[in-house]
């Protein structure tokens, strides 16, 4: 699993995102803190759905301190691969950072929406503009004994049946992140989430 690069100073690690051109090819990098504005450039991200043995997916509720979509429910974890970082490493890094999950309890990741891309505008005017591959993994731990999440990232979490979440996405999409609504409106992604684990 990737870790922030070692430094000879005590300065905090600055998260960097990969910028993309209109075709989705990398064309630069930028500090994450500067990217999300009212004119956010297209950049690389990922979304993970973690599923338990009963077929439920783990939802997380974004902390109220989050800059965009505070307090809304979303998929298990989202994030941005650092330049040169493998996506699987980035996913496990964020699972550890946000949810304190043991990577040994997470199955190998499976792409279920490799070409997912979206643009959405928060009520504050901040834009998300991402090529955001969607991945699925199985959770081998006790779903009723999850660690406490990092409070600056996640204020709550819950396991839910996919059909119930899809109904919420159709009837009350404002309760969910726009990217999760997009996942559940995509037939390929929805079918993969509903399909039993191999």
């Amino acid at each position: 699993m990737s870790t922030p690069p070692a430094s000879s100073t005590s300065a905090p690690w600055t998260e960097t995102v990969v910028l993309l051109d209109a075709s989705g090819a990398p064309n630069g990098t930028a500090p994450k803190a500067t990217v999300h504005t009212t004119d956010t450039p297209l950049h690389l991200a990922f979304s993970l759905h973690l599923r338990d043995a009963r077929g439920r997916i783990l939802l997380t509720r974004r902390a109220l301190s989050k800059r965009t979509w505070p307090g809304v429910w979303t998929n298990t974890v989202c994030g941005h691969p650092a330049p040169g970082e493998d996506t699987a490493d980035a996913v496990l890094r964020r699972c550890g950072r946000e949810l304190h999950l043991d990577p040994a309890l997470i199955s190998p990741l499976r792409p279920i929406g490799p070409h997912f891309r979206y643009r959405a505008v928060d009520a504050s005017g901040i834009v998300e503009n991402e090529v955001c591959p969607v991945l699925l993994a199985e959770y081998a731990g006790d779903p009723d004994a999850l660690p406490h999440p990092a409070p600056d990232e996640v204020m709550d979490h819950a396991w839910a049946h996919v059909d119930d979440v899809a109904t919420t996405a159709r009837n009350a999409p404002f309760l969910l992140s726009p990217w999760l609504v997009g996942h559940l409106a995509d037939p390929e992604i929805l079918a993969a989430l509903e399909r039993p684990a191999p």
Side-chain angles (χ1 to χ4, degrees), residues 50-58 136 138 159-163 192-197:
L50 199 58
R51 188 166 59 179
D52 73 0
R54 293 170 55 188
R56 300 175 301 174
I57 55 174
L58 180 60
L136 174 64
E138 312 302 325
W159 295 97
H161 292 286
V162 176
D163 56 349
L193 292 173
E194 294 174 328
R195 192 177 302 125

Side-chain angles (χ1 to χ4, degrees), residues 5-197:
S7 171
S8 59
T9 70
S10 60
W13 179 54
T14 299
E15 190 171 357
T16 303
V17 301
V18 178
L19 303 178
L20 306 172
D21 65 20
S23 71
N27 71 345
T29 63
K32 178 187 171 186
T34 69
V35 167
H36 296 93
T37 68
T38 56
D39 188 28
T40 302
L42 185 65
H43 59 281
L44 182 62
F46 63 80
S47 286
L48 172 71
H49 289 275
L50 199 58
R51 188 166 59 179
D52 73 0
R54 293 170 55 188
R56 300 175 301 174
I57 55 174
L58 180 60
L59 300 182
T60 56
R61 189 176 179 198
R62 291 167 64 82
L64 294 177
S65 58
K66 297 290 278 185
R67 187 173 183 194
T68 57
W69 288 278
V72 305
W73 287 89
T74 192
N75 56 288
T76 307
V77 70
C78 303
H80 306 86
E85 183 180 28
D86 182 77
T87 299
D89 288 341
V91 170
L92 294 178
R93 171 171 59 81
R94 293 308 300 176
C95 283
R97 166 68 181 89
E98 294 187 19
L99 298 174
H100 303 143
L101 295 180
D102 180 351
L105 299 176
I106 299 173
S107 75
L109 308 179
R110 300 196 307 278
I112 60 172
H115 307 295
F116 185 77
R117 178 174 176 168
Y118 76 99
R119 184 181 187 279
V121 184
D122 182 67
S124 68
I126 301 296
V127 174
E128 275 288 13
N129 187 19
E130 298 179 335
V131 171
C132 190
V134 182
L135 305 131
L136 174 64
E138 312 302 325
Y139 184 63
D142 181 351
D144 297 321
L146 291 173
H148 292 292
D152 61 326
E153 296 283 355
V154 174
M155 63 184 295
D156 199 1
H157 50 23
W159 295 97
H161 292 286
V162 176
D163 56 349
D164 292 334
V165 184
T167 297
T168 299
R170 288 191 301 272
N171 296 336
F174 50 84
L175 298 176
L176 307 175
S177 69
W179 54 93
L180 177 55
V181 172
H183 298 173
L184 297 169
D186 183 305
E188 178 184 4
I189 296 173
L190 181 58
L193 292 173
E194 294 174 328
R195 192 177 302 125

